Amino acid sequence: MFYRFSAFWLRSSTEMFCFLRPVRRLCLEKVSPRWFFCSRAFSGAEAVNALRPFYFAVHPDFFGQHPKEREVNENSLQKLSVYLENLQKPGSKSLKPTQLTFYVRETDQNSSEGQEPFSTLGFRAVKFTLHTRDLLSTVLYILNSCSLSVEHVQSLNSNVRPQPPKEAKRMSDRPIKWDKSYYSFTGFRDPDEDLEHVSKMETTLTSWLGSNGKRAIKKLENSLPLRKELDRLKDELSHQLQLSDIRWQRSWGLAHRCSQLHSLGRLAQQNLETLKNAKGCTVIFTDRSGISAVGHVMLGTMDVHHHWTKLFERLPSYFDLQRRLLLLENQISRLLGDIQVVYIEELQPVLTLDEYYSLLDVFYKRLLKNRVPFHPQSLRGLQMILNSDRYAPSLHELGHFNIPTLCDLANLKWFILTRAQQARENMKRKDELKVIEDELIQASTKKFSLEKFYKEPSVSSKQMVDCCKRLLGQSLPYLQGMHLCVSHFYSVMQDGDLCIPWNWKNGEAIK
């Protein structure tokens, strides 16, 4: 147990270092007395330690069952990483404000007192804008914005004065509103003007593309050799190992992906016959090694070759477990009126085959013990997914039922039967929307001569359709030959892909 916890914390800490890139030495400027008085610089190592409670509260791995919130946190952590890196560069006084949104888990350190309460799912949305000028004030601002303690920061920098308790800060918690002459005299930037400028510039599609198009083109051109190398490596390994596909769970850069394929290629040279056990499988580079719930071979990017080799050696036994899992799904289906038991990767937490089998087994044994009579084939054509939450069953907008393994079985039949027709209508609407979405993606790709047009998993078909319809009514010459991703934010990715929010507008974004 200790080893598993240590391994988990090591991996999480490593990811924290990926989000919070190495920070160079910093000479602190004069800072606002609203925060603190300090006499020495705050080092990068101290910043990492100080932000540990924050990362523990927002780390994407803890949002496996909530893919939308997970992706929002991943995107915000990437933007935060860029902000902190730019903060260390010369001319950081002119750094523009960065608006961030995080879903913060309830932990021992934070409290909902005086804040938006935590949802029944155990987290809440926190939005704030960074317009700080040094590392220490940034760390404190983040912690306070998320209602996390700053007491440990004082131990890292003995001259840091934490904010007083909530009961004693009614007046002191108000931001100081300086006169315009203060900013003219000191040379500091007026945060109100910065925020107004950002609001005007960052939320306008055409102006944002105009400002970032050339930078994206340059990055895209620089990435072309790596893109060719990635395609070559992927094709060679897929052919050599007779794989169905090679994928990545996260939006790693091209250099990172090529490095992972090189590692797999070296392992294939050493243990080709063992790796051929994966014939016909899909290999996914992800956070941990194992076999996924749908039978994909997951290669943990933090694991050494020895772990990968052991996994490939055990594949035959996993295939046997997969056959037993399919049988178990069919048995559950027959007990519940032939409803189809499915696992939806985009909507469910990443589970190994063993974990998913245990989940199904618990539910199946409960069904056998508490038989719920369903008319045979009465639910044929409908779908359900299982999860380990202790909440009541629900009907998803995409048409499938979300059934907790420990739900009240006595009420389960009534719930499913009274919503069966609505489920069929939702599924029909989903299929129709998917057809429209595919047509609009093709039309947009053709009109703007895009090299690639895709969306992030958290963007629904309905959102994508709305985005494409409005795009087709625009003239956007900047997009020719580009890789365009529909997301929830504006960004130029490190390899030149352009990200735009699905709800873009030539003005303020749609709420």
Side-chain angles (χ1 to χ4, degrees), residues 445-505:
T445 303
K446 182 178 180 180
K447 174 175 179 177
F448 301 113
S449 300
L450 292 166
E451 183 67 25
K452 184 179 181 182
F453 187 33
Y454 62 105
K455 68 174 183 177
E456 291 187 343
S458 61
V459 176
S460 67
S461 293
K462 183 179 179 181
Q463 292 169 337
M464 188 66 171
V465 166
D466 177 73
C467 176
C468 290
K469 283 182 177 179
R470 292 183 292 113
L471 277 177
L472 288 169
Q474 300 292 314
S475 176
L476 302 169
Y478 310 101
L479 296 181
Q480 184 174 355
M482 299 302 296
H483 291 236
L484 182 64
C485 174
V486 176
S487 176
H488 297 276
F489 60 97
Y490 286 109
S491 179
V492 178
M493 307 303 285
Q494 59 182 326
D495 297 309
D497 290 37
L498 283 169
C499 288
I500 63 170
W502 70 269
N503 57 343
W504 62 268
K505 189 179 179 182

Side-chain angles (χ1 to χ4, degrees), residues 29 62 94 149 183-184 211 227 243 263 266 272 288 293 313 318 344 380 415 426 430 462:
E29 303 170 3
F62 294 109
S94 61
S149 172
Y183 299 104
S184 300
S211 301
R227 292 182 188 274
L243 301 174
S263 294
R266 288 192 295 270
L272 182 58
R288 59 172 175 165
E313 288 175 350
Y318 280 118
I344 305 177
R380 176 165 290 185
F415 179 84
N426 288 4
K430 176 193 70 174
K462 183 179 179 181

